[in-house]
Amino acid sequence: MRTKRSDTVAAYLFLLPFLVLLLIFFVYATGRAIYFSFTDYDLFRPPNWVGLRNYAALFADALFLSALRNSILFAVIVTAVQTFLALVMAAVLNQKVRGIGFFRAAFYMPSITSSVVITLIFLWMFQRRGLINFLTETLQRHLPVLLAFALILIAVQVVQVAWERRRELPAAWTDPALLVVSLLVASGATWLLVTTGLILPRDVPPVDFIWLQTRDTIPSGAPFWLSVPIPLAAIMIQNVFTTIPTFMLMYLAALQDVPKSHYEAAAIDGANATQQFLRITIPSVAPVTFLVLTLSMIGTLQMFDQVAIFGDAAPLRSVVTLAYFVYDRMFPGAQTPEVGFAAAGAMFLAVLTLVVVLLQRRLVRSEGY
Amino acid sequence: MRAAPAHRLGAAEQRALEHWQTRRRWARAGLVYAVMLLFAIVFVGPLLFAAVSSLRTDPLAYPPSLAIPQLRPSNWAAAARLGQAGAADRWFGGFAPGAVVPFEIAYFVPDGVDVTDPDVEVPRRRPGAGLGAVLAIEYAADHASVSELRRLPDVPMTVETGDGTISGRRVGYAFTIRYEGTGPEIDRLPLDVTAAVGMQYLDSTLTASRLERRGRTASFNDVAPGVLGYVLRNYVRVFNEVRSPATRQSLFLAWIGNSFTFAAVRIVVTLVIASMAGYALARLRFRGREAIFMLVLFSQMVPLQVLFISNYLVLRDGILTIGGFTLSSLWGYPGGMLNSLTGLVFVTALNAGAVFIMKQFFESIPREVEEAAMIDGANHWRRYWNVVLPMARPALGALTILTFQGAWNDFFWPFIVLTSPENVKTLPIGLLSFRNTYGAVGDWGLILAGAVTSAIPVIILFVVFQRYFMEGVSFGGGKE
């Protein structure tokens, strides 16, 4: 279709409000941020050109280095964990069953509520005498019982499968019908063991783990670039929790399109569940994995809300990210704003995001998806 | 899994094998439901647990529990009765002139311990801390008088402890609290009952809010609460207790109002701008189209932190300030647009994602639809307004819901733009000042109640329009 003059005029009239906003709040804003990053602007005195000094100063700034370390660890660990868990959970749930709509809605709940609501709830759960420590303590106390349950479950399942195989029936080690029986037997047996007092919950010291007001890291005493501050780990747990459902549903949609015959053919060739997962499931959802990885990296590299909401509940160094560093230099409380320095940090974050996205795209191209 | 040696099977064995397989399918479906239920509990659990705990007097009380006094029907009945007695209001209670509030409390006294009558006192206790705590309030203590204690008949009983059984008796007391003379109606009637050492609190008309001084003092936040005043106490506090020191206006109500206003205006602005821009990009061929579209895509990849530096200054300067003239004074903001919802709308009006959605949708409408109108000589505006837009109702609906959710939950821009005074904030930012004020003193009841309340509109919207939210994922609009 060829371009008509009247079309062009009409098009720009239609686009006018959008373009005005785009020019002021995007093009001009980006340009100004780039310009500020080469100046010593502080909101009050006119800016002076300082060349690359802000960028050089970034790497001598302790807060920036903490932010860089935190952002990178946060992005890499959270992306890896949530992508993996989302895929595994989707594979487990990949069955055509009725009533999945209800469950999809339930899984979605954490992702529709605001970051403030979720973060406040997690802050509450991460208090010293909060739910997380309570659950850890309960788990530790009941460890013998759980262990007994697991052992009985495995034993009963092994015996049953061996029996079925002797009858020449094609029972897999995870055979669902036998598993239901094993679960019932194991529950009953464990209940008996506990009521007769043969196995009892142990006495454990109260779990009093400090999640928030601490400068400690995991692993404790690791080199700077490899140590995850504990409050940051708390945000990681929260982020994984809120994001898994979204990604899991994306994977689930993709998995439902994989033909069942692929799995059946693999089963006939003798592939077990793990092999099927590695050879069929993972390759067939590769495009979704790419989307999930990209969305996850962008989201996690730019994490801001949780740090702002944690506020003084955790030491700044332990949770600061690149995004929050920019805010912190722009509005440093009682000190003079360092707008130029903040802008340099923002440019660094933008370039980092862009590089990660382009690298991933490149990687995907070379893999030929 | 091994393949069954099917070729060696007879008809009966074949049937048996089929039954065997069917059993497996049923079992697998059952297990999948069980796992889904487990996941659902994991993902909804924290929200539900927070919602239940927000009813507790102190959500940090250890251990965390679902068996809380606020969920006990006997307490509901007592709260209604006491509210009726206090201010003839069984829902929200209160303490009004002429009120006679009857109350009973019972202790366990082991054999050999002397019984001393407890001290009953209506304390002057200031509700809450922080925002609005500076306001002058009326105290029930100034108007209440406690009657003589009447001792109820003792009942022998035993108590099991870790070391064995202790025998003793149950000692009960009854008394009334009166509002004598005239005066204002007071919101709450706190009570402290302090017993002698050795006497152990058992129960009372209403369960004690907390035990202080090693269990000697049973402290009640309000002994004339009414059902809602008792069960939803933290929620009532969220609305009543947090007030602007200057105007006495409820801050939480102001935040809710701001959030709704912001969401409504942003929906209108987004729909208008995005549908017009989307139409142009989808339907019209013009010079610069590709460049603009690339810019739209690119703008979604640049972090907000790059943009907010300049955008903050743009709002501060009222878009443009030249020689003492501020552009935003034309629409009533001579001092710049920081700390105003208008400024917030301006800075969030750029929504490239929405333009993208509308463009995709318009491209899916067949061109023939428009051609009939073109033959009638309709211009572009008529074609957009009369032909294409009415067909775009589903897309506009989805966009409305996604925009509402985005605006209601938005954190970054309100956090930058709305800093003071407290009553210009939207809900998420208001909740943050809740956390800063009440988190430090450990008053999580208020924070959780505020958080749960603020989540309700989006949850209702989600339950009603689930489909649109799910589609939002495929638009790639996933936030972290």
Side-chain angles (χ1 to χ4, degrees):
Chain A
M1 203 188 218
R2 80 205 151 74
T3 310
K4 282 191 298 188
R5 236 183 88 81
S6 67
D7 269 14
T8 303
V9 173
Y12 278 98
L13 282 175
F14 273 111
L15 281 166
L16 187 66
F18 177 69
L19 284 182
V20 169
L21 290 168
L22 194 69
L23 280 179
I24 299 177
F25 292 114
F26 178 70
V27 178
Y28 176 63
T30 310
R32 203 140 71 132
I34 296 174
Y35 166 67
F36 282 152
S37 75
F38 296 106
T39 69
D40 63 355
Y41 189 45
D42 63 1
L43 285 188
F44 303 112
R45 286 166 303 168
N48 296 310
W49 187 265
V50 296
L52 287 171
R53 211 169 66 196
N54 286 328
Y55 290 92
L58 280 181
F59 292 92
D61 187 87
L63 189 66
F64 176 80
L65 292 178
S66 292
L68 183 59
R69 189 262 320 257
N70 289 351
S71 281
I72 290 175
L73 288 179
F74 186 82
V76 170
I77 294 175
V78 170
T79 300
V81 172
Q82 71 193 10
T83 308
F84 176 74
L85 287 181
L87 179 55
V88 170
M89 285 169 70
V92 170
L93 292 185
N94 183 24
Q95 303 285 332
K96 290 214 165 53
V97 288
R98 281 156 183 275
I100 195 159
F102 168 79
F103 289 103
R104 271 164 48 121
F107 299 155
Y108 234 65
M109 279 297 169
S111 11
I112 56 152
T113 39
S114 71
S115 56
V116 179
V117 170
I118 289 286
T119 310
L120 287 179
I121 289 176
F122 269 80
L123 264 177
W124 166 69
M125 296 200 300
F126 277 118
Q127 299 289 312
R128 277 182 81 163
R129 306 258 69 191
L131 187 62
I132 304 272
N133 281 352
F134 172 74
L135 288 180
T136 317
E137 191 181 313
T138 311
L139 197 70
Q140 285 184 6
R141 180 170 298 143
H142 292 91
L143 208 57
V145 180
L146 290 173
L147 219 61
F149 177 81
L151 286 177
I152 298 171
L153 180 74
I154 293 170
V156 176
Q157 179 78 0
V158 166
V159 168
Q160 287 196 90
V161 172
W163 176 258
E164 295 277 290
R165 286 189 176 180
R166 272 195 56 178
R167 291 170 56 205
E168 300 246 314
L169 287 164
W173 289 113
T174 53
D175 187 277
L178 301 181
L179 194 59
V180 170
V181 176
S182 305
L183 279 169
L184 291 175
V185 172
S187 310
T190 314
W191 180 77
L192 264 179
L193 285 174
V194 172
T195 44
T196 53
L198 283 171
I199 290 183
L200 282 178
R202 333 176 265 169
D203 278 332
V204 290
V207 172
D208 199 12
F209 191 78
I210 302 175
W211 284 97
L212 302 172
Q213 285 295 358
T214 175
R215 290 179 193 284
D216 288 351
T217 59
I218 310 172
S220 160
F224 176 79
W225 291 101
L226 294 176
S227 50
V228 181
I230 289 168
L232 189 71
I235 303 183
M236 286 178 177
I237 293 172
Q238 180 199 330
N239 204 92
V240 168
F241 170 83
T242 47
T243 321
I244 279 187
T246 315
F247 291 162
M248 183 184 73
L249 292 176
M250 288 166 80
Y251 270 128
L252 207 52
L255 282 177
Q256 309 249 302
D257 294 340
V258 179
K260 267 262 177 309
S261 57
H262 288 193
Y263 290 100
E264 282 158 11
I268 288 170
D269 289 346
N272 62 27
T274 320
Q275 285 168 328
Q276 289 181 26
F277 181 74
L278 292 177
R279 301 277 160 74
I280 304 174
T281 308
I282 290 185
S284 44
V285 295
V288 178
T289 304
F290 168 66
L291 182 63
V292 163
L293 285 177
T294 310
L295 287 177
S296 180
M297 282 305 273
I298 295 178
T300 49
L301 273 177
Q302 300 181 4
M303 193 266 282
F304 175 89
D305 297 11
Q306 286 85 336
V307 184
I309 299 160
F310 266 47
D312 56 6
L316 180 61
R317 283 280 176 84
S318 301
V319 288
V320 66
T321 56
L322 290 173
Y324 194 82
F325 170 83
V326 177
Y327 170 82
D328 185 68
R329 290 298 90 197
M330 179 84 178
F331 302 111
Q335 304 161 30
T336 315
E338 299 173 283
V339 181
F341 199 42
M347 295 320 298
F348 183 88
L349 175 61
V351 171
L352 186 66
T353 312
L354 221 60
V355 167
V356 167
V357 173
L358 291 180
L359 267 183
Q360 276 179 353
R361 185 158 296 181
R362 187 122 197 201
L363 210 68
V364 167
R365 287 252 168 79
S366 68
E367 293 273 324
Y369 296 133
Chain B
M1 212 188 279
R2 293 182 308 176
H7 54 281
R8 286 197 273 110
L9 296 178
E13 283 161 317
Q14 186 73 45
R15 256 204 316 280
L17 188 65
E18 267 166 28
H19 272 144
W20 191 86
Q21 298 285 15
T22 316
R23 260 203 316 277
R24 256 119 210 99
R25 270 199 294 282
W26 278 104
R28 176 170 293 136
L31 287 176
V32 165
Y33 278 119
V35 173
M36 282 207 282
L37 198 63
L38 190 77
F39 288 172
I41 290 170
V42 167
F43 288 122
V44 186
L47 296 178
L48 277 183
F49 199 74
V52 171
S53 298
S54 70
L55 304 177
R56 283 184 112 175
T57 311
D58 176 15
L60 277 186
Y62 198 82
S65 165
L66 288 174
I68 60 176
Q70 280 78 3
L71 292 181
R72 221 174 287 148
S74 63
N75 276 330
W76 300 346
R81 224 164 45 234
L82 293 168
Q84 183 72 30
D89 180 351
R90 69 175 59 121
W91 298 112
F92 288 101
F95 193 49
V100 181
V101 179
F103 207 76
E104 287 183 16
I105 189 164
Y107 293 90
F108 171 70
V109 184
D111 291 338
V113 173
D114 291 336
V115 174
T116 323
D117 287 353
D119 284 334
V120 179
E121 184 205 6
V122 176
R124 284 177 77 89
R125 196 180 295 135
R126 183 166 262 299
L131 309 167
V134 291
L135 298 175
I137 56 156
E138 291 282 345
Y139 290 100
D142 299 335
H143 304 278
S145 68
V146 179
S147 73
E148 288 289 310
L149 267 62
R150 184 165 59 85
R151 183 147 163 201
L152 303 170
D154 290 0
V155 181
M157 64 178 290
T158 54
V159 166
E160 301 283 338
T161 66
D163 304 326
T165 309
I166 305 174
S167 61
R169 60 221 146 109
R170 176 193 167 97
V171 178
Y173 293 94
F175 54 89
T176 55
I177 307 162
R178 290 169 185 279
Y179 193 130
E180 285 175 349
T182 53
E185 182 177 335
I186 295 160
D187 286 346
R188 70 189 89 197
L189 175 57
L191 187 73
D192 281 351
V193 184
T194 307
V197 178
M199 294 172 67
Q200 193 184 325
Y201 169 78
L202 279 179
D203 53 51
S204 43
T205 310
L206 205 61
T207 308
S209 306
R210 67 196 147 265
L211 296 176
E212 289 166 351
R213 299 173 62 191
R214 294 166 174 258
R216 283 183 59 202
T217 302
S219 185
F220 301 85
N221 287 326
D222 189 354
V223 292
V227 183
L228 298 180
Y230 178 68
V231 179
L232 299 179
R233 177 169 177 274
N234 287 324
Y235 290 80
V236 174
R237 288 179 60 207
V238 161
F239 283 96
N240 279 344
E241 214 168 89
V242 189
R243 290 177 182 280
S244 152
T247 59
R248 296 199 72 124
Q249 165 205 30
S250 163
L251 285 176
F252 200 75
L253 272 180
W255 298 338
I256 291 179
N258 290 342
S259 271
F260 270 115
T261 312
F262 172 51
V265 177
R266 184 153 148 197
I267 287 169
V268 173
V269 169
T270 304
L271 289 188
V272 170
I273 294 179
S275 67
M276 281 168 55
Y279 177 78
L281 289 172
R283 276 294 194 260
L284 302 171
R285 293 289 167 271
F286 57 93
R287 197 164 296 182
R289 182 175 165 278
E290 277 74 27
I292 291 174
F293 189 60
M294 286 311 290
L295 206 59
V296 170
L297 288 184
F298 185 64
S299 73
Q300 286 180 297
M301 280 169 64
V302 173
L304 291 178
Q305 283 72 27
V306 171
L307 306 178
F308 97 96
I309 298 174
S310 165
N311 292 355
Y312 173 83
L313 298 174
V314 165
L315 286 191
R316 186 193 70 177
D317 300 338
I319 305 291
L320 198 69
T321 302
I322 305 171
F325 171 76
T326 307
L327 192 64
S328 66
S329 62
L330 291 181
W331 52 91
Y333 291 90
M337 292 193 290
L338 289 178
N339 292 316
S340 75
L341 287 182
T342 312
L344 187 59
V345 168
F346 263 88
V347 85
T348 52
L350 176 64
N351 190 340
V355 173
F356 196 75
I357 290 175
M358 291 314 295
K359 173 183 176 288
Q360 300 287 84
F361 184 83
F362 287 135
E363 278 171 349
S364 74
I365 298 179
R367 271 179 184 282
E368 290 74 44
V369 178
E370 270 182 86
E371 268 156 19
M374 250 157 91
I375 293 164
D376 293 346
N379 62 19
H380 283 297
W381 177 257
R382 297 257 308 273
R383 271 148 62 188
Y384 159 78
W385 188 253
N386 293 338
V387 181
V388 183
L389 210 53
M391 295 185 71
R393 269 197 211 122
L396 295 176
L399 199 54
T400 303
I401 286 159
L402 290 178
T403 310
F404 178 87
Q405 187 209 9
W408 188 266
N409 290 348
D410 195 5
F411 180 77
F412 184 75
W413 285 118
F415 181 65
I416 300 294
V417 176
L418 309 174
T419 49
S420 73
E422 287 290 333
N423 59 8
V424 300
K425 294 182 173 177
T426 57
L427 256 183
I429 311 308
L431 284 176
L432 188 61
S433 58
F434 260 22
R435 192 204 79 67
N436 292 333
T437 329
Y438 295 95
V441 292
D443 192 351
W444 279 88
L446 211 67
I447 302 174
L448 286 184
V452 171
T453 310
S454 86
I456 289 173
V458 175
I459 289 179
I460 291 177
L461 210 66
F462 175 66
V463 170
V464 179
F465 297 106
Q466 225 195 84
R467 193 161 57 89
Y468 292 119
F469 281 86
M470 303 293 184
E471 278 164 13
V473 183
S474 55
F475 288 132
K479 271 192 327 178
E480 82 278 14

